[in-house]
Amino acid sequence: NGFATFIWDNGGRVGGDIRGQYLLWHSTGDYVTAVTKRIVEVLFKASYSDDPNYTLESIYAMAPFQKPEDDQIIDIPDPHLKEYIVEKYDRDNDGEIQKKECWRVFEIEVNTQIIRTMKGIENFQNLEVLVCRGREEWVPDEFGPGLLTELDVTHNPHLKRLEFNNNHITSIDLSQNTELESVCARSNALISLDISHNPVLTDLDMSINHIGSLEFSNTPRLKSIYARGNELTDKAARVT
């Protein structure tokens, strides 16, 4: 129809907050926060590259724009998780979630007392907030009522806030989540927690687990930590 796919917002105030410099989807007005940098880099290189192999096809292959496979329906095995995501993010009202719809999902917040698996969230690569916690009604020294036993966030590199408290999770890999600022892992079955790849982490709650040691050498911004109910000794936490 002659309109650009994206609109540039140079940082006006919205609801009292400075949104910064972002791209917006022309059709919806939604902010495309996590992919903004990648889109700009592709467009910039397309304008200035002298590489004769840098063809229109190669630009298309690298660009985070819609491709035929983006119409593919993603698999969300747990029916309760799927119901939540479809109700909130199914823009074409077909009862399914396509890969192209995943681009615009920045937050997922669910209670896990009826959700047994979070499989499927690996498709939401622009996710910034993930909350999948059980109810707070737990008995001291016992696991919370959430049903999760595992959680894979290695395909969600833009996560800033992660909460999975009150579940039965024994381990979690945070090595790909370098933008994490806040983690709540309270009341699980963790025996260790590696935060060496989370340099901008400011808040950590790992209370009521089985963690025996913790390394803080690569978390210079850490301001608060809650660690009661673990197996830490006086020398178990090292700060360098």
Side-chain angles (χ1 to χ4, degrees), residues 139-157:
V139 177
D141 300 322
E142 293 186 9
F143 302 145
L147 300 177
L148 297 184
T149 59
E150 60 182 5
L151 181 63
D152 183 0
V153 292
T154 57
H155 300 282
N156 309 107

Side-chain angles (χ1 to χ4, degrees), residues 7-207:
I7 302 174
W8 182 258
D9 172 21
N10 65 355
R13 289 182 176 270
V14 179
D17 297 325
I18 298 177
R19 300 300 297 267
Q21 293 182 329
Y22 298 121
L23 290 172
L24 292 82
W25 291 94
H26 183 279
S27 59
T28 65
D30 292 342
Y31 283 89
V32 189
T33 55
V35 297
T36 295
K37 183 174 183 292
R38 279 169 282 168
I39 293 172
V40 172
E41 286 175 347
V42 170
L43 295 177
F44 184 85
K45 186 173 182 180
S47 299
Y48 291 93
S49 176
D50 293 325
D51 185 350
N53 296 318
Y54 201 75
T55 63
L56 184 61
E57 289 78 10
S58 68
I59 296 172
Y60 181 80
M62 288 185 290
F65 304 136
Q66 185 170 340
K67 304 174 186 178
E69 60 267 29
D70 294 326
D71 286 322
Q72 177 183 340
I73 294 173
I74 69 167
D75 182 30
I76 305 175
D78 189 282
H80 301 291
L81 177 60
K82 181 175 180 178
E83 180 182 10
Y84 163 85
I85 293 177
V86 167
E87 180 178 349
K88 194 165 185 179
Y89 298 115
D90 179 18
R91 292 177 177 269
D92 58 9
N93 298 312
D94 67 348
E96 301 287 351
I97 295 293
Q98 287 85 20
K99 281 192 174 182
K100 62 186 177 185
E101 291 173 312
C102 296
W103 300 344
R104 309 179 190 183
V105 178
F106 303 106
E107 179 174 347
I108 291 176
E109 183 168 350
V110 294
N111 292 317
T112 56
Q113 65 268 22
I114 59 173
I115 294 175
R116 294 185 177 276
T117 175
M118 295 296 292
K119 289 181 180 178
I121 63 166
E122 64 273 10
N123 295 283
F124 299 91
Q125 297 184 9
N126 292 328
L127 202 62
E128 296 178 355
V129 175
L130 176 60
V131 177
C132 48
R133 59 189 173 208
R135 290 191 298 262
E136 295 292 339
E137 303 164 3
W138 49 269
V139 177
D141 300 322
E142 293 186 9
F143 302 145
L147 300 177
L148 297 184
T149 59
E150 60 182 5
L151 181 63
D152 183 0
V153 292
T154 57
H155 300 282
N156 309 107
H158 301 292
L159 273 181
K160 297 183 180 351
R161 174 186 165 204
L162 173 62
E163 298 183 16
F164 57 97
N165 42 306
N166 303 323
N167 282 287
H168 303 269
I169 294 171
T170 58
S171 65
I172 188 165
D173 182 354
L174 302 179
S175 63
Q176 304 303 309
N177 310 109
T178 58
E179 299 178 22
L180 266 178
E181 299 173 0
S182 174
V183 174
C184 183
R186 183 177 64 250
S187 189
N188 273 280
L190 295 173
I191 59 175
S192 65
L193 186 63
D194 183 356
I195 55 173
S196 62
H197 300 278
N198 315 115
V200 297
L201 188 67
T202 59
D203 300 283
L204 173 63
D205 186 348
M206 58 179 221
S207 305

